[in-house]
Amino acid sequence: FKFDDKPLEDKLKVFADKSATLDFKKLYADQHSALTEIKTFLENPEQQIFVLQGTANSGKSYLIPFIQEIAYNLGIQETEVFASSSRVANNLLTIGGLERVNSIYSYIYGGQKNNKQEDEQVKEKENKEEIDETNDSEELQIEEIPLKNCDNADNALFIVDESQLVSDSLNQSIDLIFGTGYLLKDFLSFTNSTNTKRKIIFIGDPFQLQLGKTDESPLNPLYLEEAYKLKTNAYQLLDKPDFSVINKEALFCVDKIRTQYFNSLKFEQNDDFKILSDDIEKENVIADLINSKTGHLLYFRNEDAQERNLKIKKDILKNGDCLAIGDLVVFNNNIETKSDNPDAFPKKILNGQFATITKTSVDLRTEPIFDRKGKLISNLNFVEVGIKHSESGYESTIISFENFRNSPKA
């Protein structure tokens, strides 16, 4: 059980204090129109969902503090802002005026199974054991993390940013599933907008890469109405091509997607935007980026990213293929670490965050994995390393799963 770090009265006071710092005069005309539509939506007891769409840098997320103020002025007791994961939520905190952004997963999952769910799991386990005795099945038991009960106010407002990362496509790992495995379905079930006065605003860019099918996205108002019988309103912000040169070129792609015209893709090159076709020129630019430490290299495939990283270690850092002191690593999941100081509290490292290697070990720990017949399936390799978290400076010792780290597809 976790107590809220701020009682409701304190949250409302924060919204009241923010209202003095929000400058509506800085908003574009289409942003003013969007807020007018949202205010009408919040006042309409018949509507449950509002979809705010917009391309990159159109000012979608910037409107969240303004939406919070409108909700506060309308007497809505509680407004919660969400993102699909802790990593995305952490990035959204850079927006001025946002004090807290919740991860959907940590907010809605982790409840207690009810008696019906437990009975069903017991029956399923008994049936599975009977089947296993006859066919020697190698399937792993899947652990289910159930939904929590929603304790938010009956008229609470839920704002989900980067909603293109939320979908109704099945998502589960080899041995773990959250709720039904359908994040959008579970979130709508948790909020229970049908039987309460709670409302949801989905914010996102339908032209960015999405998780799952486009037709099953919360940015698709028709899907929400047909699949969930939720009365939905929507608004589309205008493109902002003058935001930057790169944004202008990105919107050129968006325009071609809108018109379904894909066979004449051409970008305008300038000092800020170049296409490198010559391999020698490409390698020179990459070397300049690495030496200046001011740029980033993005690759479409994990295999290409790993090849480049190994090339940097070999040709520039000259510290071999294994993890070495000074290497920069990125985390692919959320973990909780314990400091070398026994009195320190455990700290979380989020998916996508970076750390520097401070200590390595030559001792490789190998654990063989066998099937039920005693046949070797694989050897799992682990090594202990010390890290320093790039953002907080927090130091800890962790175990690196070398099979995953060395995999080209990881």
Side-chain angles (χ1 to χ4, degrees), residues 207 239 251-265:
F207 294 98
D239 298 341
L251 290 175
F252 181 78
C253 292
V254 169
D255 184 59
K256 297 304 179 183
I257 295 174
R258 284 177 176 147
T259 58
Q260 296 292 293
Y261 188 66
F262 304 108
N263 63 349
S264 184
L265 186 61

Side-chain angles (χ1 to χ4, degrees), residues 54-83:
T55 52
N57 300 308
S58 61
K60 307 179 299 296
S61 301
Y62 186 79
L63 290 181
I64 293 178
F66 295 87
I67 296 172
Q68 289 176 311
E69 183 184 351
I70 291 173
Y72 170 75
N73 291 334
L74 291 176
I76 294 177
Q77 300 178 16
E78 196 172 3
T79 302
E80 294 289 350
V81 183
F82 294 91

Side-chain angles (χ1 to χ4, degrees), residues 270-316:
N270 50 57
D271 292 339
D272 298 311
F273 189 91
K274 291 185 178 181
I275 298 175
L276 305 177
S277 56
D278 182 80
D279 288 339
I280 297 178
E281 184 182 16
K282 189 186 302 181
E283 290 299 323
N284 290 336
V285 170
I286 290 174
D288 290 341
L289 283 174
I290 294 171
N291 292 330
S292 66
K293 298 181 181 180
T294 58
H296 302 275
L297 299 176
L298 301 179
Y299 288 89
F300 182 74
R301 302 191 313 155
N302 290 341
E303 292 92 333
D304 295 333
Q306 187 200 45
E307 180 182 351
R308 175 58 58 182
N309 285 329
L310 291 177
K311 187 175 179 61
I312 291 173
K313 284 177 63 64
K314 178 182 177 182
D315 297 341
I316 299 177

Side-chain angles (χ1 to χ4, degrees), residues 175-212:
D175 60 350
L176 183 66
I177 185 171
F178 288 88
T180 64
Y182 300 92
L183 183 58
L184 176 57
K185 177 181 178 181
D186 287 345
F187 184 73
L188 294 176
S189 176
F190 172 82
T191 56
N192 193 19
S193 296
T194 303
N195 301 313
T196 65
K197 297 179 182 179
R198 298 178 187 131
K199 292 175 179 282
I200 306 172
I201 298 177
F202 289 112
I203 302 175
D205 183 353
F207 294 98
Q208 291 192 19
L209 291 177
Q210 302 190 24
L211 292 181

Side-chain angles (χ1 to χ4, degrees), residues 42-60:
L42 294 176
E43 292 173 328
N44 188 344
E46 301 298 323
Q47 292 185 331
Q48 292 115 357
I49 307 289
F50 190 94
V51 178
L52 179 61
Q53 297 185 6
T55 52
N57 300 308
S58 61
K60 307 179 299 296

Side-chain angles (χ1 to χ4, degrees), residues 138-197:
E138 293 294 335
E139 291 186 16
L140 294 173
Q141 292 287 336
I142 297 179
E143 179 185 359
E144 178 188 343
I145 309 298
L147 277 174
K148 297 176 183 176
N149 291 322
C150 183
D151 296 326
N152 297 84
D154 188 65
N155 69 337
L157 173 63
F158 300 100
I159 302 173
V160 183
D161 203 357
E162 301 293 348
S163 294
Q164 70 273 3
L165 301 178
V166 179
S167 78
D168 256 346
S169 294
L170 180 64
N171 181 26
Q172 71 176 71
S173 65
I174 191 173
D175 60 350
L176 183 66
I177 185 171
F178 288 88
T180 64
Y182 300 92
L183 183 58
L184 176 57
K185 177 181 178 181
D186 287 345
F187 184 73
L188 294 176
S189 176
F190 172 82
T191 56
N192 193 19
S193 296
T194 303
N195 301 313
T196 65
K197 297 179 182 179

